[in-house]
Amino acid sequence: MIVARNEPKLYERLRLEFDGDDEVAVVLDRRVGERRRLPQTVTTDQRRTDRRRALADEQLKHLGWATARAH
């Protein structure tokens, strides 16, 4: 589970809830700002991972948390 940086209480609650569960890791979102520096137009379809990241970004913004599968 990824928890938004502005949700420290939620992070602590989830960390305690899943403590000892080897299948769940609770981490704070480590990203800082947007990676792209210049606006660019996309001429081809976005990759599947980009769409998943967009979904996670929306969940972090609106819910304060998102899930992701570890590689």
Side-chain angles (χ1 to χ4, degrees), residues 5-42:
R5 300 179 112 197
N6 64 337
E7 296 285 351
K9 290 181 182 179
L10 176 61
Y11 169 74
E12 283 301 319
R13 189 171 72 230
L14 291 172
R15 194 178 61 77
L16 290 172
E17 179 75 25
F18 291 102
D19 186 36
D21 188 330
D22 294 337
E23 295 193 21
V24 178
V26 179
V27 296
L28 277 174
D29 185 13
R30 296 183 300 241
R31 298 173 299 164
V32 180
E34 180 62 38
R35 294 167 106 179
R36 294 182 182 163
R37 301 282 183 221
L38 299 173
Q40 297 175 338
T41 58
V42 178

Side-chain angles (χ1 to χ4, degrees), residues 1-7 10 27-31 34-35 46-71:
M1 298 188 81
I2 306 163
V3 180
R5 300 179 112 197
N6 64 337
E7 296 285 351
L10 176 61
V27 296
L28 277 174
D29 185 13
R30 296 183 300 241
R31 298 173 299 164
E34 180 62 38
R35 294 167 106 179
Q46 291 182 339
R47 298 170 73 190
R48 177 172 290 243
T49 56
D50 291 338
R51 287 191 294 266
R52 283 190 292 225
R53 179 177 172 163
L55 178 59
D57 288 345
E58 285 298 310
Q59 289 175 332
L60 284 168
K61 185 186 300 182
H62 295 290
L63 301 174
W65 61 273
T67 58
R69 183 174 292 229
H71 298 301

